[in-house]
């Protein structure tokens, strides 16, 4: 009898492990698809690496004094920079694929009516990310780099390090893209009833503190660049509260009643 009970317990443990193992396999397969898509996109972006490089250099080149130029101190630094910008550009291109695979991984836990949000999630997720990066490129970075170059003079000629400049530029572009996903995330969380506009409004003071901290982390240590990031971030937070108020689950229920 004891042997039978042990056998039943082992069978239960095996059945419990199978769903977990199947989830791990599915996660592995979806990550593999993302990696393959990223690799294919990388071949494309690396072919156009010079054009991408010139595009990313423009915010500083427009404000660069005549005698200044970029430098690199390691033999492999220029090559690694080209590889890095190609990878980041490939991530931008494959963002719809990555969002699709993420959605398909979590979709088994969703209701049928929630699965219809797949296409809007991918479309608006990609658009929000792109808008955030473009906002940073055209609105924030020119002012930031113009501010720093303004301290140059006859005896102080800016010779920025290529690696440091590109790392800062890519960091600001990626973070800005992710930050602009906030309204989309709030929309889906509000539709699911996880958060609502009252919760977001009550946490406004903490959000403002977090925005200032985040701005200080992702921008150079000067008040001008930080304010340039704080204003749109706070605007996104207020816009997210409005989205939660309009499309939140609680708001829909109130309308029915």
């Amino acid at each position: 009898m004891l042997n039978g009970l042990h056998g039943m317990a082992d069978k239960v443990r095996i059945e419990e492990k199978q769903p977990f193992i199947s989830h791990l396999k599915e996660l592995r397969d979806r990550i593999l698809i993302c990696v393959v898509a990223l690799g294919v996109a990388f071949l494309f972006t690396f072919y156009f690496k010079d054009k991408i490089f010139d595009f990313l250099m423009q915010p500083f080149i427009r404000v660069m004094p005549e005698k200044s130029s970029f430098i690199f101190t390691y033999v492999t630094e220029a090559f690694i920079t080209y590889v890095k910008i190609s990878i980041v550009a490939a991530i931008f291109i494959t963002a719809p694929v990555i969002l699709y695979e993420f959605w398909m991984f979590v979709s088994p836990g969703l209701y049928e009516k929630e699965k219809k949000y797949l296409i809007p999630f991918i479309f608006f997720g990609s658009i929000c990310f792109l808008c955030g990066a473009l906002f940073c490129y055209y609105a924030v970075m020119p002012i930031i780099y113009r501010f720093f170059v303004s301290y140059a003079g006859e005896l102080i000629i800016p010779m920025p390090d290529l690696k440091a400049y590109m790392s800062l530029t890519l960091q600001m572009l990626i973070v800005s893209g992710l930050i602009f996903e906030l309204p989309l995330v709030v929309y889906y969380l509000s539709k699911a009833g996880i958060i609502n506009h009252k919760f977001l409004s009550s946490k406004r003071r903490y959000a403002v503190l977090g925005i200032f901290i985040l701005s200080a982390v992702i921008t150079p240590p000067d008040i001008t660049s930080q304010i340039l990031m704080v204003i749109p971030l706070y605007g996104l937070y207020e816009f997210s509260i409005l989205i939660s108020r309009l499309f939140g689950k609680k708001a829909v229920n109130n309308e029915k009643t």
Side-chain angles (χ1 to χ4, degrees):
M1 184 175 180
L2 291 176
N3 291 333
L5 291 175
H6 287 301
M8 292 178 62
D10 292 337
K11 184 178 180 180
V12 171
R13 283 195 292 268
I14 292 173
E15 291 177 352
E16 290 176 349
K17 290 181 180 178
Q18 284 179 347
F20 178 73
I21 295 174
S22 64
H23 285 311
L24 287 179
K25 289 181 179 179
E26 183 182 2
L27 179 61
R28 179 201 61 189
D29 294 339
R30 299 205 177 277
I31 291 176
L32 182 61
I33 293 174
C34 293
V35 171
V36 172
L38 188 62
V40 173
F42 172 78
L43 296 177
F44 174 80
T45 55
F46 191 76
Y47 179 80
F48 293 99
K49 61 184 182 300
D50 293 326
K51 292 184 178 180
I52 299 173
F53 179 81
D54 292 338
F55 177 77
L56 294 176
M57 299 291 284
Q58 288 305 311
F60 197 90
I61 291 177
R62 294 192 186 100
V63 298
M64 180 185 292
E66 294 182 359
K67 296 181 180 180
S68 64
S69 62
F70 284 87
I71 62 171
F72 63 92
T73 56
Y74 295 98
V75 177
T76 60
E77 190 170 314
F79 171 76
I80 293 176
T81 299
Y82 276 113
V83 172
K84 183 184 295 185
I85 62 176
S86 299
I87 292 175
V88 173
I91 293 175
F92 273 76
I93 292 176
T94 57
V97 177
I98 295 173
L99 291 173
Y100 174 81
E101 294 300 327
F102 168 76
W103 185 273
M104 294 304 295
F105 179 72
V106 302
S107 63
L110 302 176
Y111 295 106
E112 287 298 325
K113 63 180 181 179
E114 295 173 336
K115 294 181 180 180
K116 65 181 181 181
Y117 296 116
L118 170 61
I119 300 301
F121 175 77
I122 295 175
F123 177 77
F124 288 108
S126 301
I127 292 298
C128 289
F129 190 85
L130 182 60
C131 288
L134 291 177
F135 173 81
C136 180
Y137 181 86
Y138 287 106
V140 179
M141 285 173 20
I143 298 177
I144 290 177
Y145 294 139
R146 187 180 296 110
F147 172 80
F148 285 116
V149 171
S150 64
Y151 286 92
E154 295 183 1
L155 299 178
I156 305 176
I157 301 175
M159 294 288 182
D161 179 74
L162 178 63
K163 179 180 178 181
Y165 168 81
M166 199 57 67
S167 296
L168 176 62
T169 298
L170 294 177
Q171 175 184 318
M172 288 194 295
L173 289 175
I174 293 175
V175 173
S176 296
L178 293 175
I179 290 172
F180 269 63
E181 299 284 353
L182 177 63
L184 184 65
V185 173
V186 169
Y187 171 81
Y188 282 105
L189 292 179
S190 298
K191 291 289 287 186
I194 298 175
I195 61 175
N196 55 45
H197 67 279
K198 292 182 179 179
F199 172 80
L200 294 175
S201 299
S202 65
K203 303 299 180 183
R204 184 180 279 109
R205 66 180 66 179
Y206 302 105
V208 171
L209 177 61
I211 287 171
F212 272 97
I213 294 175
L214 181 61
S215 300
V217 171
I218 65 177
T219 59
D222 71 282
I223 189 64
T224 303
S225 59
Q226 291 176 14
I227 291 177
L228 286 173
M229 288 302 299
V230 166
I231 294 175
L233 288 182
Y234 181 73
L236 282 174
Y237 188 81
E238 292 294 336
F239 181 60
S240 299
I241 295 177
L242 177 62
I243 288 178
S244 181
R245 179 187 293 273
L246 295 176
F247 301 103
K249 189 174 183 180
K250 188 174 181 180
V252 173
N253 292 335
N254 287 338
E255 288 177 3
K256 292 181 179 180
T257 57

